[in-house]
Amino acid sequence: ARLLFRFDYGFIDQALVDGFGWAARRIARFKRWLDDVVVDGFLVDGVGLVSQSLGAGVRLVQTGFAQFYLLVVAFGLSLLLVWALRVFG
């Protein structure tokens, strides 16, 4: 009976059960770090920061004056025309 107890406690409980528990905790810590730092930190917060920055930049050029918007369109079309003439002309 002592031999079976030592096998059960020493090998099954300590090596297998505790070993798998240790490995599962390490994997869970890595997964949590990956989720906190990479997914939440870089992807979610990074995309939000880029959106806010672009929105702030666009807000500066939104004047509400149709003449300004027409000027921007004319400037863009002239750049497109210059590019087309250089590439295809």
Side-chain angles (χ1 to χ4, degrees):
R2 283 185 187 230
L3 181 64
L4 291 177
F5 170 77
R6 285 186 185 164
F7 175 75
D8 180 48
Y9 180 75
F11 180 71
I12 301 293
D13 289 344
Q14 297 227 332
L16 291 180
V17 174
D18 293 348
F20 281 116
W22 179 85
R25 283 192 307 273
R26 295 299 181 268
I27 291 170
R29 280 188 195 151
F30 175 72
K31 182 199 159 295
R32 182 175 180 179
W33 174 84
L34 189 70
D35 185 54
D36 288 345
V37 173
V38 176
V39 175
D40 291 340
F42 178 71
L43 296 177
V44 174
D45 294 341
V47 169
L49 181 65
V50 168
S51 298
Q52 286 180 342
S53 300
L54 289 175
V58 169
R59 196 175 305 121
L60 293 174
V61 297
Q62 284 186 330
T63 61
F65 296 113
Q67 297 91 342
F68 177 74
Y69 298 140
L70 185 60
L71 177 66
V72 170
V73 169
F75 181 71
L77 286 175
S78 66
L79 286 178
L80 186 62
L81 180 65
V82 167
W83 174 79
L85 288 175
R86 285 186 177 215
V87 171
F88 301 111

